[in-house]
Amino acid sequence: LAKPKRGSIVDTYQTVSVNCAKCRERLFRYKKKNGTKSNLIKCFVERIAEDSAGILENQPDKEPNYACPNCQTVFARAALIRGMPALKLVGGKTQMKKK
Protein backbone atom coordinates (compact mmCIF):
# COMPACT_ATOMS: atom_id res chain seq x y z
CA LEU A 1 0.00 0.00 0.00
CA ALA A 2 1.05 3.55 -0.65
CA LYS A 3 2.15 5.84 2.15
CA PRO A 4 -0.24 8.66 3.11
CA LYS A 5 0.39 12.06 1.54
CA ARG A 6 2.64 14.48 3.45
CA GLY A 7 3.96 18.01 3.24
CA SER A 8 2.49 20.97 1.42
CA ILE A 9 -0.32 19.00 -0.25
CA VAL A 10 -1.81 18.30 3.19
CA ASP A 11 -1.95 22.05 3.91
CA THR A 12 -4.65 22.39 1.24
CA TYR A 13 -6.89 19.86 3.04
CA GLN A 14 -9.89 21.12 5.01
CA THR A 15 -9.46 21.51 8.76
CA VAL A 16 -12.14 19.80 10.85
CA SER A 17 -12.72 20.06 14.57
CA VAL A 18 -12.80 16.76 16.51
CA ASN A 19 -14.88 17.02 19.69
CA CYS A 20 -15.75 14.62 22.50
CA ALA A 21 -19.27 13.25 21.88
CA LYS A 22 -20.10 13.15 25.59
CA CYS A 23 -18.98 16.57 26.91
CA ARG A 24 -18.49 18.41 23.55
CA GLU A 25 -14.94 19.56 24.46
CA ARG A 26 -12.70 20.20 21.45
CA LEU A 27 -9.96 17.58 21.43
CA PHE A 28 -8.00 18.67 18.35
CA ARG A 29 -8.24 20.11 14.85
CA TYR A 30 -7.33 17.76 12.00
CA LYS A 31 -6.44 18.18 8.30
CA LYS A 32 -8.88 15.85 6.52
CA LYS A 33 -8.83 15.35 2.75
CA ASN A 34 -12.56 15.48 1.99
CA GLY A 35 -13.74 17.54 4.95
CA THR A 36 -16.83 16.22 6.74
CA LYS A 37 -18.11 14.14 3.80
CA SER A 38 -17.03 10.81 5.31
CA ASN A 39 -16.50 9.36 8.78
CA LEU A 40 -13.27 9.84 10.69
CA ILE A 41 -11.78 6.41 11.43
CA LYS A 42 -8.11 7.20 11.96
CA CYS A 43 -6.06 10.36 12.45
CA PHE A 44 -2.42 10.55 11.44
CA VAL A 45 -0.57 12.39 14.21
CA GLU A 46 1.36 14.64 11.81
CA ARG A 47 -1.92 15.93 10.30
CA ILE A 48 -3.22 17.22 13.65
CA ALA A 49 -3.17 20.98 13.07
CA GLU A 50 -3.96 22.13 16.62
CA ASP A 51 -3.91 20.07 19.82
CA SER A 52 -6.53 22.10 21.71
CA ALA A 53 -6.86 19.83 24.74
CA GLY A 54 -3.14 18.97 24.96
CA ILE A 55 -3.81 15.30 24.31
CA LEU A 56 -0.55 14.47 22.54
CA GLU A 57 1.84 16.09 25.02
CA ASN A 58 0.03 14.83 28.14
CA GLN A 59 -0.01 11.20 26.95
CA PRO A 60 2.08 8.79 29.08
CA ASP A 61 4.49 6.68 27.00
CA LYS A 62 3.13 3.30 28.11
CA GLU A 63 -0.58 4.20 27.83
CA PRO A 64 -1.99 3.12 24.42
CA ASN A 65 -5.42 4.74 24.97
CA TYR A 66 -6.31 8.41 24.60
CA ALA A 67 -9.00 9.88 26.88
CA CYS A 68 -10.87 13.19 26.98
CA PRO A 69 -9.24 15.42 29.61
CA ASN A 70 -12.65 16.71 30.72
CA CYS A 71 -14.82 13.57 31.13
CA GLN A 72 -12.13 10.82 30.89
CA THR A 73 -13.96 8.99 28.07
CA VAL A 74 -11.52 6.86 26.05
CA PHE A 75 -11.94 8.00 22.44
CA ALA A 76 -8.89 6.52 20.63
CA ARG A 77 -5.94 4.16 20.80
CA ALA A 78 -2.43 4.52 19.46
CA ALA A 79 -1.57 2.65 16.27
CA LEU A 80 1.05 2.46 13.55
CA ILE A 81 -0.67 2.65 10.14
CA ARG A 82 1.50 2.15 7.04
CA GLY A 83 4.55 3.07 9.11
CA MET A 84 3.15 6.34 10.45
CA PRO A 85 1.91 6.99 14.01
CA ALA A 86 -1.85 7.43 14.14
CA LEU A 87 -4.89 7.44 16.41
CA LYS A 88 -7.59 4.84 15.72
CA LEU A 89 -10.83 6.41 16.88
CA VAL A 90 -13.46 4.46 18.83
CA GLY A 91 -16.84 4.62 17.07
CA GLY A 92 -19.35 7.05 18.52
CA LYS A 93 -16.94 8.66 21.01
CA THR A 94 -16.06 11.69 18.87
CA GLN A 95 -17.92 14.20 16.73
CA MET A 96 -16.50 15.98 13.73
CA LYS A 97 -17.47 19.53 12.71
CA LYS A 98 -16.18 22.05 10.22
CA LYS A 99 -13.71 24.23 12.11
Side-chain angles (χ1 to χ4, degrees), residues 5 9-10 12-16 30-38 40 47:
K5 292 203 178 0
I9 189 78
V10 175
T12 63
Y13 291 174
Q14 261 187 339
T15 305
V16 295
Y30 182 72
K31 291 282 191 181
K32 189 168 183 306
K33 185 171 185 177
N34 61 356
T36 55
K37 288 189 176 102
S38 62
L40 194 59
R47 288 190 190 176

Side-chain angles (χ1 to χ4, degrees), residues 56-97:
L56 297 177
E57 61 252 11
N58 296 338
Q59 182 68 10
D61 292 331
K62 300 287 184 213
E63 184 63 36
N65 294 327
Y66 288 83
C68 173
N70 196 24
C71 64
Q72 304 306 316
T73 303
V74 174
F75 68 89
R77 61 185 171 82
L80 209 61
I81 299 172
R82 290 182 246 146
M84 290 178 61
L87 305 178
K88 295 218 32 172
L89 299 176
V90 177
K93 302 292 182 180
T94 57
Q95 280 188 327
M96 179 179 53
K97 293 181 184 172

